[in-house]
Amino acid sequence: MNQTSKKTNFLSKKKSIIVSTSVIIFSVILDQITKILADKHLTKSDEIEVIPNILGLSFVKNEGAAFGMFADNRWIFMVFSTFAIGVMIYFLLTLKDSHPLLVISLSMLIGGGIGNMIDRISRGYVIDFFKFLFVKFAVFNVADCFVTVGAVLLAIYLLFLFKDETPNEIDNNKPEEETDVKESNS
């Protein structure tokens, strides 16, 4: 695969910003709308079975971090989250050419982080409402889904694509045929 065809898989800086902004805005809006609906329509004691024996809805005020962890250290987690979101935004803004999977995964992580941060700042807790019924697991929300899927996509990118596809690499190794032709013409 030559350099030109390799680079076509990447997004320009302008397209990266458009894609990342769209994903971040979509994830934050979807997260906030679902939390408003959960707050309005789910009573604090209700558990609604959406998909029998698989998925339910149950209102939970999560005062901790992801999946309710670190409830007593909320401010430390907020500082760490703000720093991580800032680093990811900086990284997205400084990339020249980017693989779409990298842009989407980081944007999902940022959007999910911002969605939960809005709750922590405005309410003092995060609204969670999705509950797996087939396994004992923490109640979660749309922002948590974006963070989880974003992390999985980022891992896929780092494990399988990062080493093979680098847009800024320069191919100094010319094919033997080109080299032979130039030398014979001299």
Side-chain angles (χ1 to χ4, degrees):
M1 182 183 281
N2 66 30
Q3 184 69 18
T4 308
S5 64
K6 224 177 172 182
K7 196 168 181 169
T8 59
N9 295 332
F10 289 80
L11 298 174
S12 67
K13 185 171 184 150
K14 182 178 179 180
K15 285 183 182 177
S16 282
I17 291 173
I18 291 169
V19 169
S20 61
T21 302
S22 300
V23 170
I24 293 167
I25 290 171
F26 173 76
S27 61
V28 171
I29 289 173
L30 182 62
D31 175 63
Q32 291 301 301
I33 288 172
T34 57
K35 287 174 180 172
I36 289 167
L37 292 171
D39 191 32
K40 184 175 181 180
H41 296 291
L42 290 175
T43 64
K44 309 318 178 225
S45 60
D46 273 352
E47 186 169 299
I48 301 167
E49 197 169 7
V50 178
I51 302 172
N53 301 317
I54 296 176
L55 183 68
L57 299 175
S58 179
F59 186 91
V60 173
K61 290 182 178 181
N62 177 354
E63 295 181 359
F67 307 113
M69 299 182 296
F70 310 116
D72 295 333
N73 299 313
R74 185 172 67 97
W75 289 104
I76 293 170
F77 184 73
M78 286 176 64
V79 169
F80 175 75
S81 295
T82 302
F83 176 76
I85 289 168
V87 168
M88 288 185 284
I89 289 171
Y90 174 79
F91 187 72
L92 278 173
L93 291 174
T94 57
L95 290 173
K96 292 180 183 171
D97 295 322
S98 316
H99 193 284
L101 192 59
L102 176 62
V103 172
I104 290 168
S105 63
L106 289 175
S107 300
M108 291 177 84
L109 287 165
I110 293 166
I114 290 172
N116 281 337
M117 187 66 71
I118 290 170
D119 281 15
R120 284 189 189 96
I121 292 169
S122 66
R123 294 183 172 100
Y125 58 89
V126 174
I127 294 176
D128 289 333
F129 52 90
F130 288 126
K131 182 177 184 179
F132 286 128
L133 303 175
F134 62 93
V135 64
K136 186 159 178 70
F137 190 72
V139 180
F140 57 99
N141 59 43
V142 172
D144 297 332
C145 294
F146 276 100
V147 168
T148 302
V149 172
V152 169
L153 293 177
L154 182 60
I156 290 169
Y157 171 77
L158 292 172
L159 291 172
F160 301 109
L161 301 172
F162 177 68
K163 293 175 186 170
D164 294 337
E165 299 190 15
T166 343
N168 297 323
E169 76 184 14
I170 299 170
D171 188 9
N172 289 326
N173 300 325
K174 296 178 181 159
E176 285 184 32
E177 294 170 10
E178 258 186 55
T179 308
D180 293 341
V181 171
K182 285 182 182 177
E183 287 175 3
S184 64
N185 290 336
S186 321

